């Protein structure tokens, strides 16, 4: 009476042979609509074999080889192995021919594969891997409340790792079971039956990512970005609609990416980089908010001979207004403003803009301790910090949320990546609320910054990011790399449409020429793709 169900299951397993019709029994990672699987999993017909039931194995191997065009010897090894499905793709014609063979213990069934040929958001979703040792197996069985076996695959990174205990299924959702006697002969009347299980202990993960937007981003990156990141945020609520990193990998075949670059599996969207001139947005916001500068105030830029910091425009801009300096990304002007503000004020504003919070709702990545805005206050750091160099480190996600402050009238909204967990019955088991918000700057300052960001794409160094039919705005960044190389980490961070912005987009291209020449065109191409197909 106490262990009745357990012994019933054990008796069933002892008197039958089963084959899972699911490659990896696991909950799905879905896009924000709860429909599009980001792993792009699909159903494909495969040959299912029960070797213990197949009588004339050599003859069966020969007949099967003539249909699927594999060597009989290779198939013979499968027919002498364990029950399972063969890894060979089948055409509709081959499916029909195999069914016509009518071999007992051999059939065609649809198999649910977790990964398609081009999964989306690989770095965010993460990848699976084997349980490395028995101590980990023991720890999993104690922690997760589910039964693990050494042969199971578990989450090793990303959402697969963070939500391992939620996604893991106790049983496949469908299987075929052969009922046999003690001599492994099929039992008359029971035979081989397909079973469906609607209570497998798994849950689905509903992200905020938009499958179509993510796909559009990755298609552009495959053409234009060898190494870098793209982040897209919903301007209304801080939801992350796309997160893509390069170099890429296929989570369905991790072995193909090994050995790869040292950062192949790194999520560049949440990695720290010097932001370069994008940080001038913070300097401008602080100076405007504190009343230290007006758009028409005039400065003098001496180019490479400036006494504070050299300008990228070597001859110098000469007399230049603040709004022109913003559009042209003039270094000496922002160095002067940084000194006028002082480190304490600049640090306060940078923190208010979220540039020290690495929190993303539903995506608990470990905090990188190298990010420390207080280092701006160290001796000889303020000038370099004012142009986004020196100790200033930010992530693409943080910069996206920073620009969103300007779009949202001065309010910071915490970014969100996961919306909910959904049980097998379709009910929400856990909801992740929208992010907290706080006031950073006045709506007047935000409105002025929005206008200045518009000048960057119409008159300044970001013209390549201009989108004629919709209008766009943003800021370039060109962060110098160690070793005095002529390459930079090229940034463009901005929004579109200009009126009633929908999307905040950050583009990082590592080892580019400049933000205006390298990242801005990628920004434009991505937004043209998604604005022309409203989501």
């Amino acid at each position: 009476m106490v262990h009745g169900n357990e012994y019933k299951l054990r008796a069933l397993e002892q008197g039958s042979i089963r084959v899972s019709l699911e490659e990896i029994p696991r909950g799905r990672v879905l896009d924000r609509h709860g429909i599009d699987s980001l792993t792009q999993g699909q159903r494909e017909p495969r040959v299912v074999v029960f070797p213990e039931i197949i009588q004339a194995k050599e003859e069966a191997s020969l007949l099967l080889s003539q249909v699927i065009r594999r060597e009989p010897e290779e198939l013979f090894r499968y027919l002498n192995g364990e029950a399972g499905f063969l890894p060979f793709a089948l055409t509709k014609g081959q499916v029909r021919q195999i069914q016509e063979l009518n071999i007992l213990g051999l059939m065609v069934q649809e198999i649910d594969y977790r990964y398609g040929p081009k999964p989306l958001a690989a770095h965010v979703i993460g990848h699976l891997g084997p349980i490395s040792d028995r101590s980990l197996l023991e720890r999993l069985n104690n922690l997760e409340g589910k039964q693990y076996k050494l042969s199971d695959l578990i989450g090793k990174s990303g959402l697969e790792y963070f939500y391992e205990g939620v996604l893991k299924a106790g049983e496949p959702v469908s299987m075929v079971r052969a009922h046999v006697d003690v001599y492994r002969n099929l039992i008359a009347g029971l035979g081989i039956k397909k079973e469906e299980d609607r209570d497998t202990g798994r849950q689905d993960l509903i992200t905020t990512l938009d499958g179509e937007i993510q796909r559009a981003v990755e298609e552009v990156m495959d053409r234009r970005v060898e190494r870098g990141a793209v982040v897209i945020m919903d301007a209304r609520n801080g939801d992350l609609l796309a997160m893509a990193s390069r170099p890429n990998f296929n989570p369905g075949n991790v072995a193909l990416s090994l050995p790869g670059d040292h950062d192949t599996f790194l999520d560049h969207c949440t990695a720290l980089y010097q932001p370069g001139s994008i940080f001038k947005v913070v300097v401008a916001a602080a100076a405007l908010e504190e009343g230290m500068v007006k758009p028409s105030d005039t400065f003098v830029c001496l180019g490479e001979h400036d006494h504070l910091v050299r300008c990228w425009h070597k001859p110098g801009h000469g007399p230049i207004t603040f709004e022109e300096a913003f559009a042209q990304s003039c270094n000496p002007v922002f160095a002067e403003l940084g000194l006028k503000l002082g480190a304490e004020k600049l640090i306060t504003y940078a923190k208010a803009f979220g540039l020290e919070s690495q929190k993303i709702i539903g995506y608990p990545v470990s905090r990188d301790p190298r990010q420390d805005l207080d280092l701006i206050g160290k001796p000889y750091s303020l000038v370099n910090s004012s142009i986004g160099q020196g100790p200033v480190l930010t992530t693409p996600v943080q910069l996206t949320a920073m620009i969103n402050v300007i779009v949202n009238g001065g309010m910071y909204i915490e970014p969100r990546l996961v919306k909910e967990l959904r049980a097998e019955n379709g009910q929400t088991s856990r909801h992740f609320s929208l992010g907290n918000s706080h006031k950073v700057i006045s709506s007047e300052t935000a409105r002025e910054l929005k206008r200045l960001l518009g000048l960057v794409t119409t008159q300044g160094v970001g013209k390549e990011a201009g989108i004629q039919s919709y209008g766009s705005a943003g800021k370039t960044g060109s962060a110098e790399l160690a070793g005095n190389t002529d390459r930079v980490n090229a940034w463009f961070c901005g929004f579109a449409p200009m009126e009633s912005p929908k999307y905040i987009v950050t583009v990082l291209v590592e080892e580019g020429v400049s933000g205006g020449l390298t990242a801005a065109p990628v920004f434009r191409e991505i937004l043209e793709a998604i604005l022309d197909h409203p989501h």
Side-chain angles (χ1 to χ4, degrees):
M1 287 174 65
V2 177
H3 300 289
N5 281 336
E6 180 187 344
Y7 286 122
K8 181 182 174 183
L9 286 171
R10 284 194 190 181
L12 180 62
E13 293 301 319
Q14 198 172 355
S16 65
I17 310 165
R18 70 173 191 169
V19 173
S20 169
L21 299 182
E22 196 174 5
E23 179 201 21
I24 304 170
R26 202 166 173 83
R28 298 169 298 168
V29 182
L30 303 170
D31 83 341
R32 65 174 175 160
H33 305 296
I35 299 168
D36 196 352
S37 168
L38 296 171
T39 60
Q40 299 292 283
Q42 51 198 21
R43 246 177 202 198
E44 295 180 10
R46 291 290 186 270
V47 177
V48 172
V49 295
F50 291 93
E52 293 177 79
I53 295 170
I54 299 171
Q55 297 297 314
K57 292 185 174 59
E58 285 192 12
E59 183 185 346
S61 302
L62 184 61
L63 290 170
L64 188 58
S65 73
Q66 292 167 355
V67 176
I68 64 174
R69 295 179 176 80
R70 311 293 299 192
E71 291 297 322
E73 294 79 10
E74 180 185 9
L75 296 174
F76 185 73
R77 284 195 296 274
Y78 281 110
L79 300 195
N80 272 289
E82 294 190 0
F85 55 86
L86 308 189
F88 311 120
L90 302 173
T91 65
K92 288 182 179 178
Q94 288 171 328
V95 168
R96 189 179 63 254
Q97 287 176 279
I98 292 165
Q99 289 168 337
E100 289 170 356
L101 291 176
N102 202 23
I103 298 172
L104 189 63
L106 187 152
M107 67 191 70
V108 175
Q109 291 285 346
E110 294 278 328
I111 305 296
D112 279 315
Y113 280 90
R114 185 164 186 80
Y115 301 103
K118 293 196 75 173
L120 300 172
H123 296 80
V124 172
I125 293 168
H127 67 275
L128 304 173
I131 297 173
S132 52
D133 54 56
R134 290 196 174 275
S135 62
L136 175 58
L137 176 67
E138 194 174 315
R139 205 155 61 244
L140 283 165
N141 281 326
N142 287 335
L143 285 175
E144 303 294 359
K146 293 184 179 179
Q147 200 60 42
Y148 284 82
K149 306 184 297 294
L150 266 177
S151 58
D152 287 342
L153 294 174
I154 58 170
K156 294 289 187 177
S157 69
L159 295 171
E160 296 277 24
Y161 171 77
F162 298 133
Y163 294 92
E164 169 58 39
V166 171
L167 294 167
K168 157 86 171 161
E171 293 290 333
V173 75
S174 62
M175 67 182 84
V176 282
R177 189 186 295 275
H179 295 271
V180 294
D181 62 19
V182 70
Y183 300 107
R184 313 311 266 177
N185 296 316
L186 275 177
I187 296 175
L190 292 177
I192 301 173
K193 291 184 177 179
K194 185 175 178 179
E195 298 177 3
E196 302 282 343
D197 191 343
R198 294 299 173 197
D199 184 16
T200 71
R202 77 187 76 194
Q203 295 185 52
D204 288 339
L205 190 65
I206 315 299
T207 69
T208 61
L209 300 178
D210 185 296
E212 287 185 44
I213 293 176
Q214 182 76 32
R215 192 174 290 107
V217 166
E218 301 215 24
E219 285 173 359
V220 173
M221 289 186 81
D222 285 340
R223 294 194 305 272
R224 305 289 299 264
V225 182
E226 189 173 323
R227 188 181 298 271
V230 171
V231 174
I232 299 184
M233 178 177 280
D234 189 326
R236 298 165 301 175
N237 56 20
D239 277 356
L240 293 164
L241 302 178
M243 288 174 68
S245 291
R246 291 296 181 272
N248 203 9
F249 72 95
N250 187 334
N253 197 341
V254 175
L256 283 179
S257 300
L258 297 169
D261 290 336
H262 68 283
D263 60 352
T264 295
F265 298 102
L266 174 71
D267 183 359
H268 292 244
C269 298
T270 56
L272 291 176
Y273 296 88
Q274 288 178 322
S277 294
I278 294 183
F279 190 72
K280 291 172 183 173
V281 172
V282 176
V283 179
L288 287 166
E289 187 77 359
E290 296 292 326
M292 289 183 179
V293 72
K294 297 190 295 296
S296 58
D297 286 353
T298 303
F299 298 79
V300 177
C301 168
L302 300 177
E304 61 181 338
H305 301 296
D306 198 274
H307 69 289
L308 284 177
V309 62
R310 68 178 184 273
C311 189
W312 64 268
H313 185 55
K314 290 182 180 180
H317 291 103
I320 186 170
T321 65
F322 174 65
E323 68 175 28
E324 289 169 341
F326 191 94
Q328 298 299 331
S329 199
C330 177
N331 287 342
V333 171
F334 283 87
E336 189 176 327
L337 281 174
L339 289 174
K340 195 174 179 183
L341 280 162
E344 189 177 337
K345 271 197 171 68
L346 192 54
I347 292 166
T348 300
Y349 276 91
K351 287 181 178 179
F353 269 102
L355 297 184
E356 200 170 62
S357 169
Q358 295 176 21
K359 183 181 177 185
I360 299 172
I361 296 165
Y363 192 47
V365 290
S366 299
R367 191 180 193 286
D368 191 328
R370 293 176 302 151
Q371 186 171 56
D372 183 0
L373 291 172
D374 290 333
L375 294 175
I376 294 172
K378 294 291 183 185
Y380 314 112
S381 291
L382 185 52
V383 166
N384 277 336
S385 296
S386 299
I387 59 171
Q389 297 280 168
V392 178
L393 294 171
T394 60
T395 73
V397 169
Q398 287 176 326
L399 292 177
T400 311
M402 177 194 79
I403 293 294
N404 200 30
V405 170
I406 295 156
V407 167
N408 276 286
M411 296 293 293
Y412 173 83
I413 306 174
E414 210 167 47
R416 181 175 72 155
L417 180 64
V418 176
K419 285 173 67 175
E420 63 183 64
L421 299 175
R422 188 177 293 171
E424 287 174 288
N425 61 7
Q427 298 297 308
T428 298
S429 59
R430 180 183 173 187
H431 175 72
F432 294 80
S433 299
L434 287 170
N436 295 322
S437 61
H438 62 258
K439 193 74 170 172
V440 180
I441 50 176
S442 67
S443 55
E444 292 77 21
T445 300
R447 192 159 48 246
E448 183 56 37
L449 281 167
K450 186 181 176 188
R451 185 184 72 84
L452 293 175
L453 289 167
L455 293 179
V456 173
T457 58
T458 56
Q459 302 173 24
V461 290
K463 288 179 183 175
E464 287 292 328
I467 304 170
Q468 286 189 352
S469 49
Y470 295 95
S472 62
K475 185 72 191 75
T476 58
S478 303
E480 295 175 1
L481 298 171
N484 294 320
T485 173
D486 60 350
R487 311 300 281 183
V488 299
N489 281 341
W491 294 91
F492 194 89
C493 188
F495 56 86
M498 187 64 190
E499 299 302 323
S500 303
K502 288 179 66 177
Y503 304 117
I504 316 295
V505 180
T506 296
V507 175
L508 165 65
V509 183
E510 295 185 36
E511 299 181 24
V513 176
S514 71
L517 293 175
T518 309
V522 177
F523 170 92
R524 184 188 68 239
E525 192 171 334
I526 287 170
L527 273 163
E528 284 175 344
I530 64 178
L531 286 168
D532 287 340
H533 299 88
H535 302 277

